[in-house]
Amino acid sequence: MSDTTTWPSAISVTTSRLRLEPLRVEHAPEAVTLFDDARLHEWTGGAPSSLEELAAKYRRQSAGQSPDGRQGWLNWMLRRLADGRLVGTVQATLHHPDEGGTEAGLAWVIGSDHQGNGYGREGALAMAGWLRAHGVGGLTAHIHPRHEASIGIARALGLSATDTMSEGEVLWRDSVR
């Protein structure tokens, strides 16, 4: 794979309740409070990031691609329209599979205080629609087999569980590929 791939750039997307804002380093001070919750790491491992760590992560991610250009990175912060508060994030890691085309590995995180309101589903559906409109063919997600909320989002996206496991997570895939 050449490092000259041009990946799409995230743009703002609005749903009935959310605005998906392309990730910027300037989101870090607000997001560090939202994600400073050990419960969010129950399924993914790790621990909450400091402001400096989160700003560095957002700086890398907002570049829009991996350093070698083999992956495109699309990251959006989910902002509730009603009051302007951040409630979570959705992410897509783009790559070109050997069979051709473009696939996206999806992820989402909703702040603990905002879970159970459908924001993850709404944001993930908006992201998936945007990806499809920009030529992304296949969608995948890796989900812990007991994470019922994420399983529900995957099903809403039209993904189905496969027999493939990686680091304790099940690969979910759409039927496009």
Side-chain angles (χ1 to χ4, degrees):
M1 173 63 54
S2 167
D3 62 359
T4 60
T5 297
T6 301
W7 300 105
S9 297
I11 61 168
S12 290
V13 176
T14 303
T15 69
S16 62
R17 300 182 302 157
L18 300 171
R19 183 173 56 251
L20 284 68
E21 299 177 354
L23 179 69
R24 299 181 323 273
V25 175
E26 293 79 16
H27 282 115
E30 187 177 5
V32 74
T33 303
L34 176 67
F35 298 129
D36 186 20
D37 188 336
R39 295 174 292 179
L40 294 176
H41 299 273
E42 176 182 352
W43 304 108
T44 60
S49 298
S50 68
L51 175 58
E52 295 75 21
E53 291 167 335
L54 197 58
K57 177 181 175 181
Y58 286 2
R59 189 171 295 107
R60 284 188 307 275
Q61 290 177 334
S62 62
Q65 67 179 21
S66 61
D68 65 5
R70 292 179 185 259
Q71 295 180 332
W73 296 339
L74 298 170
N75 296 274
W76 289 270
M77 299 302 291
L78 303 178
R79 188 173 300 280
R80 190 168 48 205
L81 295 175
D83 61 6
R85 290 187 64 194
L86 287 182
V87 297
T89 184
V90 292
Q91 306 168 343
T93 301
L94 306 177
H95 71 280
H96 297 300
D98 293 338
E99 303 83 33
T102 303
E103 285 191 354
L106 309 181
W108 45 83
V109 178
I110 303 300
S112 296
D113 292 343
H114 305 289
Q115 293 177 3
N117 295 303
Y119 297 132
R121 176 186 170 122
E122 188 172 332
L125 284 168
M127 171 179 59
W130 188 92
L131 291 167
R132 292 265 190 244
H134 288 83
V136 175
L139 303 178
T140 64
H142 287 85
I143 301 172
H144 191 283
R146 293 191 317 269
H147 195 305
E148 293 299 325
S150 282
I151 289 170
I153 292 170
R155 287 186 175 133
L157 293 170
L159 306 182
S160 300
T162 69
D163 294 331
T164 303
M165 293 281 293
S166 176
E167 298 181 18
E169 295 182 323
V170 175
L171 172 66
W172 286 69
R173 177 177 289 285
D174 63 12
S175 59
V176 172
R177 289 215 165 263

